[in-house]
Amino acid sequence: MIEGASPGVQALLGTLLTWFLTALGAAGVFVLGGVHASNQKKILSASLGFAAGVMLAASYWSLLAPAIELSKASDFWNANEVLTLVPICGGFFLGALFVYAADWVIDSLGVTNPTISLAVASEKYGTNPFRNEEFGREHNYYNGLESGNSYGQKDDKHTSSENAQWKRIFLLIVAITVHNIPEGLAVGVGFGAIGRSHLATFESACTLAWGIGLQNFPEGLSVSLPLYASGFSLRRAFWYGQLSGMVEPIAGVLGALAVSLFEPVLPWALAFAAGAMIYVVLSEVVPEAHQGGYDKLANWSAMAGFMVMMSLDVGLG
């Protein structure tokens, strides 16, 4: 991030950072691929718990607090205390509703993790750029995915359903894109809000980008490790692990440009991003952190993450 640059450039650099940390997390498969499964679960539980704490703190100090201040400073919304809460509560609710709707779309596809499901579907239908013709065993590890034939073998059933298969892969790509919009949007809105209030500073926006990047680190790892365990090569597991973070720069730049051009929507946008991020933490990150059976480790890691992010936001903001 470069202080003084345009909001679009800052958002692009910030979201490239979050994507890089996603890829860095996915690269952990090269180190942890040979670690015992129980230790992998401990690492994932601790890192996801830490990420949850980071995002909860960032959602308030980097998004909600500036939104509240901007709403109070608005000539329209500060008419009374009730009106001041309208953009805060409204944006917060809409952000959570957006992620809920995105989750509903993903569930309607019959998948529990769109990135992993896309990887398996691409292997199955022969669309993976790293496809290995010898990798032909069945994949029945994830919900909603049918077991497949050896690659290269096109029977009548496969030929007749080819369009449906491509449609499924396309929908999975859309699901991944929609699923990762909140992270990129939060960074973009954070940089677009710089200078609009004394709480919306360059330092706080950078801290938010680092916080979301820290959240993305275990996200990349939580995709690449299961793929490697299911039979994917290290290179292919890494490829799909970093894939989810690639859409964030687009959402970040669009978010920054939108709030720069339409300043009155800024409190709504900040609250929207906060609502989306908190819903993601509560509906996905926390449950995933507890899946490994190390609840106390995840909980204390979340406390540590919250304190670290709080210290960074208060100290640097």
Side-chain angles (χ1 to χ4, degrees):
M1 288 75 77
I2 303 174
E3 189 171 8
S6 67
V9 172
Q10 291 176 335
L12 177 61
L13 294 175
T15 47
L16 285 175
L17 171 67
T18 63
W19 166 78
F20 171 76
L21 290 173
T22 304
L24 192 63
V29 70
F30 293 101
V31 178
L32 301 175
V35 175
H36 192 273
S38 63
N39 291 328
Q40 289 183 1
K41 290 181 179 180
K42 285 183 180 180
I43 294 171
L44 281 176
S45 293
S47 58
L48 287 169
F50 186 87
V54 165
M55 291 317 303
L56 287 175
S59 295
Y60 175 73
W61 274 281
S62 296
L63 295 172
L64 273 180
I68 294 171
E69 184 186 20
L70 286 169
S71 181
K72 289 181 177 180
S74 171
D75 293 334
F76 178 79
W77 297 113
N78 68 353
N80 58 64
E81 294 182 358
V82 176
L83 280 179
T84 301
L85 294 175
V86 170
I88 308 304
C89 295
F92 190 83
F93 173 77
L94 290 175
L97 184 64
F98 173 82
V99 180
Y100 173 81
D103 285 343
W104 181 86
V105 172
I106 294 171
D107 290 340
S108 69
L109 298 177
V111 296
T112 56
N113 188 312
T115 307
I116 290 178
S117 299
L118 174 65
V120 178
S122 299
E123 288 288 345
K124 178 179 174 182
Y125 303 142
T127 59
N128 180 12
F130 300 118
R131 185 166 63 93
N132 183 343
E133 295 297 335
E134 296 179 357
F135 188 81
R137 58 180 170 175
E138 295 183 346
H139 295 276
N140 54 6
Y141 302 93
Y142 302 101
N143 294 336
L145 295 173
E146 302 171 354
S147 297
N149 298 334
S150 297
Y151 305 112
Q153 177 183 353
K154 286 192 175 183
D155 50 26
D156 294 337
K157 182 179 179 181
H158 179 88
T159 302
S160 63
S161 63
E162 186 172 354
N163 289 336
Q165 293 169 353
W166 276 105
K167 180 180 179 181
R168 178 177 176 79
I169 292 174
F170 173 76
L171 289 175
L172 285 169
I173 293 174
V174 172
I176 294 172
T177 302
V178 172
H179 193 259
N180 287 274
I181 285 177
E183 287 93 336
L185 182 64
V187 175
V189 170
F191 281 107
I194 292 176
R196 291 343 196 273
S197 78
H198 79 277
L199 293 178
T201 63
F202 175 77
E203 290 77 12
S204 67
C206 291
T207 303
L208 176 63
W210 276 105
I212 292 178
L214 289 175
Q215 183 261 335
N216 285 356
F217 183 91
E219 182 177 297
L221 186 62
S222 67
V223 172
S224 61
L225 277 180
L227 286 178
Y228 178 68
S230 68
F232 280 58
S233 69
L234 288 171
R235 184 174 63 160
R236 285 178 290 153
F238 164 74
W239 166 259
Y240 285 108
Q242 60 84 39
L243 186 64
S244 63
M246 294 182 69
V247 302
E248 292 180 12
I250 300 174
V253 172
L254 292 178
L257 294 178
V259 298
S260 298
L261 296 175
F262 305 102
E263 186 170 345
V265 305
L266 188 53
W268 288 85
L270 287 167
F272 180 96
M277 291 307 306
I278 290 179
Y279 190 92
V280 167
V281 170
L282 297 179
S283 67
E284 298 177 21
V285 180
V286 171
E288 283 187 27
H290 288 176
Q291 275 185 353
Y294 300 97
D295 294 7
K296 292 182 179 179
L297 176 62
N299 292 341
W300 282 109
S301 297
M303 298 298 290
F306 189 95
M307 289 187 291
V308 168
M309 193 64 189
M310 177 177 61
S311 300
L312 290 174
D313 266 316
V314 174
L316 298 178

